[in-house]
Amino acid sequence: MLKQKEFIDSTNLDYYLNVIREFLEVHQIKKRIAESPDEKFPIDLRRKAGQELLIGLDAPKELGGEGFSALTMGKIYKEMGKVDVNTRELFGLGHARMLAYDDNINDYKRDVLNKVLKGECLIGIGMTEESSGSDIKNIQTTVRKVTNGTYLLNGKKTYVSRILESQYFLVLAKMVDLNDKLTFFLVPTSHPNIKISNINPTGLKGWSYGSISFENVYLSKDQLVGNEGNGFYMFQKHFAYWRVLMGLLCIGAAEEALGITVNYAKEREVFGKPIASFHPVSHPIVKHYSYLKAAELFCYDALSKIDSNNPSITQSAMAKVLSTEVAYQAIDDCIQFFGARGYTKEYDLEKRLRDVRAVKIADGSNPTLISYCTKDVFGENIYKLTKEGDFNRVDSCVKPYAKQNC
C-alpha cells in the first residue's frame, strides 16, 4: 500500500535536481531525440536510470524506492520538461505507481515492480477506446470470471502510448460478473492473443502510439490490481497525481522556450535595436512568466494536498488544464516572436508546441476536465444536467440552486 511520502529539505532537493540535470546532460537526451529521424526517446536510458536508482524516486521505501513526496516529484518533473516532454517516462514509476496503491500486492506484482525499478521493463496503461475517451465508464472491454481464480479478457484499447516499449499494460475493463464495475488487471504484452498496431501521432513521438487488442486472454487472480470493482477509485487516485506531474512537465517545457526566446530577443535587431526593446515582444514574455509561475504554484499546492492525504480530484484536474493551457500559449507566442525561424526545427520550439498540445488531450482532455470541475463550482444538480445534455431543464434548476447558495 502506498504510504505518505517523505519530504526532503531544500538542500537535498537541490542535490537531486542537480543529479537529474547531470543525467539529462551527460546522456545528451535532447540531442539524441533531435537526431532521431522519428523523434524517438532513447529507451536504453531507462535501464541506466534504474541502475542509478532514479526510477524508484516516488516508490515507497518498503517496496525498494526512495519514497519521495508528490511535491518533490513535481519539482523534478518540471526540470525534466525543460529538456523534453518525452522524458516523462525516465524518472519515477510512471503508471507502475498504481501497483503501489494495491493493498493486496503479491509476489507476481512485486516481481514486476522490481523489474520496473531496475529499468528492465515499462508498464503502460490502457483505458481509452474508440467509442469512449474520457468517458471511461462507457468502455466496452470486458473481463469475466471463468473460475474462482481465473478471468477472461476481451476488448481493444486505442490511442494509447507506449504500446511497443511496454512489457505490461494496466488494462481497465468492465467486470461482467460484478454489474460491469471497472477493474484493473496487469497484462503482459507478450501474450499470444494480444495484437498491437501503430498510429503516427503529431506530437509526443518519443514513445510509440496506437492500439492494443485482447482476444480471449486468460488472466490469473494474481494479475488483479486492487480489488474487483474498484478500478474507478484507483484511476482517480492515480491520475490526481499523474495529471499534475504532466502539467509541471509542460510548464518546464514552456519556461525553457521563454528562456530561448529572451536570449534571441536581446540579440535579434530590427530598425537598429533589439526586438526585446519593443513592448509587443517584451510585455507578453513577462506576462507568460507570471502565468507559468502562478500555474506552477497551483500545481505544487495540489501535490501538497496529496502528500497530506487530502487529495483534491478537482484541483488536480484544474492544475493540468491551467498548466497545459498557459504553457501552450507561451510557446506559441515564442514561435511568433521568432518569425519564420520559429516555424523551423532549428530552435526546438515547434516540437515543444506539438508535445504540449498532445498533453492538452492526453490523460483527460482539457474540456472534459473542465466539465468535471463544474460539479464543485456549480453543484451536483447542474453537473448532472451537463452530463445528461438536457439544456431545457437548466433554467428550472439554476434559479432555486442559485438562491440557495447566494
Side-chain angles (χ1 to χ4, degrees):
M1 179 181 180
L2 189 64
K3 295 182 179 179
Q4 184 172 341
K5 298 299 184 186
E6 175 184 322
F7 290 92
I8 61 178
D9 62 33
S10 58
T11 303
N12 285 334
L13 176 60
D14 289 340
Y15 166 77
Y16 277 104
L17 288 177
N18 285 331
V19 168
I20 295 298
R21 294 186 191 107
E22 183 178 353
F23 186 99
L24 296 170
E25 183 177 346
V26 167
H27 295 290
Q28 300 182 307
I29 293 177
K30 185 176 180 179
K31 181 182 178 185
R32 290 183 64 180
I33 293 176
E35 292 178 348
S36 170
D38 49 4
E39 299 178 1
K40 286 301 178 187
F41 182 85
I43 187 66
D44 60 289
L45 294 184
R46 267 191 60 82
R47 184 179 289 271
K48 292 182 180 178
Q51 291 170 351
E52 297 187 25
L53 306 180
L54 295 175
I55 292 180
L57 296 179
D58 58 351
K61 288 187 174 182
E62 61 269 24
L63 293 178
E66 297 295 325
F68 281 7
S69 68
L71 178 58
T72 299
M73 290 304 299
K75 294 182 178 182
I76 289 173
Y77 266 71
K78 183 199 167 190
E79 200 65 33
M80 293 158 57
K82 292 179 181 180
V83 174
D84 196 288
V85 175
N86 287 287
T87 58
R88 71 192 194 277
E89 295 294 345
L90 185 55
F91 306 123
L93 286 177
H95 293 305
R97 195 170 187 262
M98 287 189 69
L99 297 182
Y101 299 137
D102 194 344
D103 293 333
N104 304 312
I105 189 165
N106 51 37
D107 290 341
Y108 174 80
K109 286 175 281 190
R110 193 181 295 273
D111 180 62
V112 172
L113 191 58
N114 286 337
K115 292 178 182 177
V116 172
L117 291 172
K118 295 175 183 178
E120 296 174 357
C121 78
L122 182 70
I123 296 181
I125 191 164
M127 297 187 298
T128 302
E129 299 181 3
E130 191 69 49
S131 60
S132 59
S134 298
D135 183 15
I136 65 169
K137 290 187 176 181
N138 193 40
I139 62 173
Q140 301 303 305
T141 299
T142 61
V143 65
R144 64 178 70 241
K145 280 187 177 181
V146 179
T147 65
N148 192 37
T150 309
Y151 304 86
L152 187 62
L153 175 69
N154 281 282
K156 182 178 181 180
K157 303 296 181 178
T158 192
Y159 306 120
V160 293
S161 184
R162 317 164 191 88
I163 57 168
L164 298 178
E165 298 86 1
S166 297
Q167 287 72 35
Y168 297 86
F169 253 82
L170 287 158
V171 179
L172 187 64
K174 284 183 176 178
M175 181 157 282
V176 177
D177 316 271
L178 202 63
N179 297 320
D180 287 346
K181 288 188 176 180
L182 302 177
T183 307
F184 273 106
F185 285 87
L186 182 63
V187 184
T189 56
S190 59
H191 194 286
N193 291 356
I194 291 178
K195 293 182 179 179
I196 292 173
S197 59
N198 279 308
I199 298 173
N200 186 27
T202 302
L204 285 183
K205 290 174 173 286
W207 303 88
S208 56
Y209 185 68
S211 62
I212 178 168
S213 60
F214 315 91
E215 184 178 356
N216 294 329
V217 175
Y218 284 90
L219 306 171
S220 71
K221 192 170 184 179
D222 286 344
Q223 294 170 263
L224 173 67
V225 179
N227 298 314
E228 294 179 355
N230 77 336
F232 188 69
Y233 164 77
M234 296 194 73
F235 157 77
Q236 285 191 311
K237 185 172 184 177
H238 174 61
F239 277 90
Y241 170 73
W242 183 251
R243 283 170 178 157
V244 184
L245 294 190
M246 293 303 98
L248 286 162
L249 200 71
C250 292
I251 288 173
E255 192 174 286
E256 183 70 11
L258 286 175
I260 294 170
T261 305
V262 166
N263 291 333
Y264 173 79
K266 289 191 293 186
E267 297 174 358
R268 167 67 169 161
E269 291 191 359
V270 296
F271 306 115
K273 56 184 179 179
I275 63 173
S277 65
F278 295 98
H279 290 172
V281 174
S282 60
H283 285 194
I285 289 177
V286 171
K287 287 183 179 179
H288 284 310
Y289 270 119
S290 301
Y291 300 151
L292 288 172
K293 178 55 69 175
E296 179 184 352
L297 294 175
F298 190 66
C299 286
Y300 292 159
D301 184 62
L303 293 174
S304 294
K305 286 185 170 70
I306 293 173
D307 289 326
S308 300
N309 293 324
N310 186 32
S312 169
I313 305 299
T314 298
Q315 183 169 345
S316 292
M318 288 178 174
K320 189 259 186 181
V321 172
L322 176 63
S323 302
T324 54
E325 294 290 346
V326 297
Y328 182 85
Q329 189 58 57
I331 301 171
D332 190 50
D333 277 356
C334 288
I335 291 176
Q336 190 67 44
F337 298 145
F338 268 83
R341 294 176 182 83
Y343 205 59
T344 68
K345 294 188 176 182
E346 181 181 358
Y347 292 96
D348 190 39
L349 296 176
E350 57 82 29
K351 181 182 182 302
R352 290 176 184 271
L353 191 75
R354 287 186 285 112
D355 290 344
V356 171
R357 184 63 184 84
V359 184
K360 290 175 66 176
I361 299 171
D363 304 318
S365 71
N366 285 5
T368 300
L369 294 179
I370 292 171
S371 294
Y372 175 83
C373 293
T374 60
K375 180 164 60 175
D376 276 9
V377 176
F378 290 98
E380 187 72 28
N381 290 340
I382 293 292
Y383 176 65
K384 287 180 179 179
L385 290 182
T386 64
K387 293 178 67 177
E388 294 169 4
D390 187 355
F391 297 104
N392 293 325
R393 293 175 54 201
V394 171
D395 282 344
S396 63
C397 185
V398 168
K399 292 178 181 177
Y401 186 81
K403 183 177 180 181
Q404 175 184 345
N405 288 274
C406 288

